[in-house]
Amino acid sequence: MTARGRDAMLAPLQDALRDAKGDEAELWVHRRRSAITRYAKNEIHQNAVADETHAQARVIVGKAMGIASGNSLDPAELRRLVGDAAAAARESAPNAEWPGLSEPGPASEPRSYDADTARADAADQADAIKRITAAAKARGFRAAGTHQIELTEDSLANTNGVGRYAPSTMAYLRALVTSDTGTGWAEDLGWSTRSLDADGVAARAIEKAALNRDRTQLPPGDYEAVFEELAVAEVLRFMSLTGLTGLTLKDGRSFMKDRFGEQVTGQRFSLWDDGLDDRTLAIPFDVEGTPRQRVALVETGVAKGVVHDRQSAKWFNTRSTGHAADPRRYGVGGHAGNLTMAGGDAKREQLIRAVKRGVLITRFHYTNTPDPKRATMTGTTRDGTFLIEDGRITRALANVRYTMSALDLFAGIDLLGPQRLARDWWSSNGMGSIVCLCPPMKVSRATITGSSPI
């Protein structure tokens, strides 16, 4: 893959805005080139490449906004978009709380881009998959999954003089290993292919698949538990969507409402959003062109803050933290999409040894929230749920249903492991965009409300 570069991505926007009609105008372009290789039954069956460009114009006339979108970087097409957005603005109702477009200012350099990863080709992807399928075959198992490499380029310009550009890369490798009796799952994620350990992914998925046999049902109740990183990321997703944005605070849906400075969960839990962390996937500005900031959300269990885009900053008479979301996926009001949870140094074996009788949850499959105000998540486990007795895994469990407030769950943290980059089920399947640097953890209480049939 080849990055088009700053001039090719930004100059057409600035050219198209020269004759813009209206009080303010903005153009944002997002290019995404994605190469994905899929495999099943130990064989590659699909290799696909998509190269998509999304262009969006926003024009403001008397505090009324018009929006138009297209899929071309051609200056004439961009000028047409600006004209369409201006026409829409003239027909729209004004927003008395319009905050104005972003102003020029310094932004950090892109940190989540690797030229070697952008250049990786289908042969590189096939080589990684081959290592996984060879390991699965050696055990008589079957492996399936995906290897995905993305190159994205974002550029934004507005009539206030803002001009920004940033490339980024993403590499992702997953394996679902199936034995005659059960399944096991593992994955790696990073902004470089150097983050992907095919042998490690294979080993983790094979270990779970081999253990996942002779399953028994776990009665409903409260148990000690170990959550692996993917399971933790799932819980953090609901905290983000239900409580960590200016919009949820304004609507009174956030668990932060009227609680800043109060203890809302346990002292071992700290959470912040930081798109500038070298380990995460992000660009240094949001889709409004505002530089990203690190935002403390919860510190040692105390509620500290939420993220803002320009509109929610206006509502609360503060400044945007650089957290405007892609409008194709999330609404106005801020989006906490680069969460980092404080970790520790406990190894996986130590987390398990600390459990007298409990459950090991490796990941969730399908989740939802029955009580957003409490950041409550319900979901079923999948591809490896295990009973822990006297500090060791003793047998596999049928999938269980977990239902619990994230605040109550994190109030019971006993031990934390090192952080790893992970995504929730929705985000890893293209239905969200939340990335978490999060640790595995051992908790004193997780509420299990049901069990699948054996």
Side-chain angles (χ1 to χ4, degrees):
M1 305 185 205
T2 304
R4 291 174 178 164
R6 181 183 181 88
D7 289 345
M9 289 289 296
L10 187 56
L13 282 61
Q14 294 169 325
D15 180 65
L17 288 173
R18 287 196 182 95
D19 301 322
K21 307 296 184 188
D23 298 324
E24 297 176 289
E26 170 196 272
L27 278 165
W28 164 58
V29 171
H30 175 76
R31 179 210 178 195
R32 172 179 175 266
R33 192 177 193 280
S34 175
I36 186 165
T37 300
R38 294 186 172 92
Y39 63 105
K41 298 180 180 178
N42 295 330
E43 299 287 342
I44 291 174
H45 64 88
Q46 184 183 53
N47 185 264
V49 175
D51 197 335
E52 304 161 332
T53 297
H54 173 77
Q56 175 185 279
R58 296 197 301 171
V59 175
I60 291 80
V61 178
K63 292 194 173 185
M65 180 191 295
I67 300 175
S69 61
N71 57 6
S72 173
L73 257 178
D74 180 78
E77 179 64 17
L78 293 174
R79 280 192 288 273
R80 184 189 67 78
L81 284 186
V82 172
D84 289 349
R90 287 190 286 272
E91 300 297 327
S92 300
N95 173 8
E97 297 180 297
W98 168 245
L101 296 178
S102 60
E103 298 288 341
S108 299
E109 292 297 312
R111 305 179 186 199
S112 304
Y113 174 71
D114 179 60
D116 290 339
T117 298
R119 286 193 292 267
D121 58 19
D124 296 321
Q125 294 176 281
D127 286 344
I129 291 171
K130 187 177 179 180
R131 300 175 77 90
I132 294 173
T133 57
K137 285 178 182 176
R139 293 290 300 269
F141 296 164
R142 302 178 301 280
T146 59
H147 188 307
Q148 186 174 11
I149 295 175
E150 279 192 6
L151 163 66
T152 64
E153 294 179 274
D154 285 80
S155 58
L156 184 140
N158 69 30
T159 51
N160 292 337
V162 171
R164 305 199 189 279
Y165 164 78
S168 67
T169 48
M170 185 276 286
Y172 177 61
L173 178 63
R174 73 162 59 153
L176 172 64
V177 171
T178 304
S179 71
D180 291 337
T181 58
T183 58
W185 178 284
E187 62 180 55
D188 275 347
L189 172 70
W191 51 266
S192 165
T193 51
R194 294 186 294 276
S195 303
L196 308 184
D197 175 8
D199 294 335
V201 168
R204 299 201 311 268
I206 288 171
E207 178 193 17
K208 292 185 177 78
L211 288 171
N212 197 1
R213 64 181 188 277
D214 303 324
R215 290 177 290 276
T216 188
Q217 288 184 304
L218 187 70
D222 289 339
Y223 295 88
E224 292 181 89
V226 172
F227 281 57
E228 292 192 353
E229 297 92 331
L230 291 177
V232 174
E234 203 76 39
V235 178
L236 293 177
R237 172 182 184 268
F238 284 98
M239 289 192 80
S240 171
L241 297 181
T242 64
L244 300 179
T245 70
L247 178 63
T248 58
L249 195 64
K250 177 175 179 284
D251 291 347
R253 293 181 283 124
S254 170
F255 63 86
M256 299 275 202
K257 177 70 173 176
D258 299 325
R259 299 197 65 185
F260 288 119
E262 294 182 15
Q263 196 82 31
V264 293
T265 187
Q267 294 186 353
R268 289 192 173 94
F269 180 76
S270 290
L271 183 71
W272 58 96
D273 188 286
D274 189 1
L276 301 178
D277 191 309
D278 291 343
R279 299 168 295 174
T280 194
L281 308 176
I283 60 172
F285 56 88
D286 67 11
V287 298
E288 294 178 327
T290 304
R292 294 189 187 279
Q293 296 179 22
R294 183 188 190 277
V295 178
L297 303 166
V298 180
E299 284 183 353
T300 59
V302 176
K304 287 294 183 180
V306 297
V307 301
H308 292 288
D309 60 11
R310 293 185 65 78
Q311 183 62 77
S312 67
K314 180 76 172 182
W315 293 333
F316 290 94
N317 193 29
T318 185
R319 297 176 66 85
S320 169
T321 56
H323 288 84
D326 185 336
R328 297 170 296 174
R329 179 159 288 153
Y330 300 106
V332 170
H335 174 63
N338 290 99
L339 297 175
T340 300
M341 176 178 163
D345 57 6
K347 299 184 183 303
R348 184 172 185 267
E349 296 75 17
Q350 292 176 280
L351 300 176
I352 293 172
R353 277 203 302 270
V355 176
K356 179 65 175 176
R357 187 172 191 275
V359 57
L360 169 62
I361 296 175
T362 59
R363 79 179 190 108
F364 292 101
H365 166 59
Y366 189 88
T367 53
N368 215 318
T369 177
D371 183 2
K373 189 67 183 290
R374 290 282 300 160
T376 298
M377 186 193 95
T378 186
T380 54
T381 61
R382 193 167 183 176
D383 303 319
T385 307
F386 302 99
L387 182 66
I388 303 173
E389 295 175 299
D390 296 323
R392 64 186 185 90
I393 296 172
T394 53
R395 66 180 307 169
L397 295 170
N399 292 327
V400 299
R401 173 163 290 280
Y402 158 91
T403 305
M404 191 172 182
S405 161
L407 306 179
D408 294 337
L409 179 73
F410 292 134
I413 294 174
D414 292 324
L415 285 172
L416 294 166
Q419 300 155 318
R420 188 164 70 88
L421 203 60
R423 293 183 295 185
D424 60 273
W425 178 82
W426 299 87
S427 295
S428 65
N429 286 283
M431 294 176 282
S433 54
I434 296 175
V435 180
C436 300
L437 266 170
C438 59
M441 63 180 186
K442 186 268 175 180
V443 296
S444 59
R445 182 171 73 90
T447 301
I448 305 302
T449 53
S451 178
S452 299
I454 297 175

